[in-house]
Amino acid sequence: IYEEDGVPVTKIAPRIGMEPNSLSRTLNTLAENGAIERKPDENDQRKVLVFLTPEGTKLRKIALKTVFDLGIILRVLRVGYL
């Protein structure tokens, strides 16, 4: 979602390896929490585009830092010290 301004729902599911039904529930939760917005595609009303909101962008940064930090911890633990 962050790479493009408005991504079709049909493009998201394969990228993250989720079934469309599971993704729909996840997107509903993200929308309820203000992390994303869904809007109809102006060029094709059958498509729905997903946009990150400012809150979604903030949460993405937190998630990326968390994953990065976890990677560091796992590498340190693999070596045997912290």
Side-chain angles (χ1 to χ4, degrees), residues 10 15 19-21 30 36 51 54-56 60 62-63 66 71 75:
T10 53
R15 284 184 180 179
E19 293 295 323
N21 290 340
L30 289 169
I36 65 163
F51 297 83
E55 178 66 16
R60 178 183 174 272
I62 293 168
T66 302
R75 282 192 294 277

Side-chain angles (χ1 to χ4, degrees), residues 20-71:
N21 290 340
S22 298
L23 178 60
S24 180
R25 288 189 295 272
T26 300
L27 293 176
N28 286 340
T29 301
L30 289 169
E32 288 168 9
N33 290 318
I36 65 163
E37 288 182 350
R38 291 186 207 155
K39 298 178 184 177
D41 186 333
E42 292 178 3
N43 300 318
D44 185 347
Q45 293 296 313
R46 297 169 298 171
K47 290 183 182 178
V48 175
L49 301 178
V50 178
F51 297 83
L52 274 180
T53 63
E55 178 66 16
T57 301
K58 184 173 108 180
L59 291 171
R60 178 183 174 272
K61 288 178 184 176
I62 293 168
L64 285 174
K65 182 177 179 343
T66 302
V67 169
F68 179 76
D69 291 348
L70 179 60

